[in-house]
Amino acid sequence: MTSKMLLEQYMAERRALGFSLKTDEGCIRRFLQDFVDPDDGDISFTKEYVLSHIGNRRNMQTNTILRDVSAINGFLDFVVRKGYTAYRIPPKSLPKENRNFKAYIFTDEEIERILIAADHTAFTEQNPARTYQLPVMFRILFNCGLRTSELLKLRMRDVDLEENVFIILDTKFHKNRLVPFSNTVAKALKEYLEKIQEKSADAFIFPSSSSRSKSGRYGNSWIQAQFRQILRIAKIPYNGSGDGPRPHDIRHTFAVHCLNNWVLSGEDITAAL
């Protein structure tokens, strides 16, 4: 038996239970990359090895360390069940989860100002498409509550203009979902797509024209920079990195506005959620 064989058995067991484990598998593979399998097959994960391979990546956030520990402890439990020796990281020794985040919820009036600012995006020769991309991108974010990474990864095959639905595949926690959008977004999207030259199924809806983009799409740092610029034009204060507002606050705003609309319309909140 080898450590890699144990990992494959563990992954097979977890998948059979209905878990999607792409993130956990990557974490455990990093954990095992320095492990040397003993010649006699008597595998043992010592306390020294385990502790030296937890949280050893540069600039790791507390919540990332906790996620990695959870994945690795699950694997080590499996190792012990298989009759081998492993040191399991005690929960009391872990740092406390960082919960000091406070979301910024945009008002209806602020959303209108942001969309107006996006509509007046200045033309640049370096990226002429940005002028007509940003108005559509921010309408989608506010209307659908997508994560910015989901927006940037959208391809032509992921949009259904007959049903007004985005098909979001293999996103965070490796889930798939259908996301409806309004007629207002559909109109803006159709007008935008008429200006796009590459319309193959695999083409990105919002391709990057930058020669530095190897993937052919924008990165999260680009959308963050555009968002800060739009906030400035909309006269909404930006309080710096970590304090926001951040692009992800649009998703929080979407959730809060949905909940508020359900309350005002007398919906059964439990059923609506």
Side-chain angles (χ1 to χ4, degrees), residues 87-139:
Y87 173 80
R88 192 179 188 281
I89 304 153
K92 290 184 179 180
S93 68
L94 299 175
K96 292 184 178 180
E97 186 176 1
N98 183 3
R99 292 186 176 273
N100 60 2
F101 165 75
K102 185 177 180 180
Y104 186 99
I105 307 303
F106 294 100
T107 65
D108 288 338
E109 190 266 340
E110 286 176 325
I111 294 173
E112 184 177 0
R113 280 156 51 193
I114 288 173
L115 295 180
I116 291 173
D119 288 341
H120 291 83
T121 300
F123 175 85
T124 61
E125 292 186 358
Q126 295 86 351
N127 187 0
R130 186 184 73 130
T131 306
Y132 47 87
Q133 286 177 333
L134 288 180
V136 184
M137 294 170 89
F138 279 97
R139 278 173 172 78

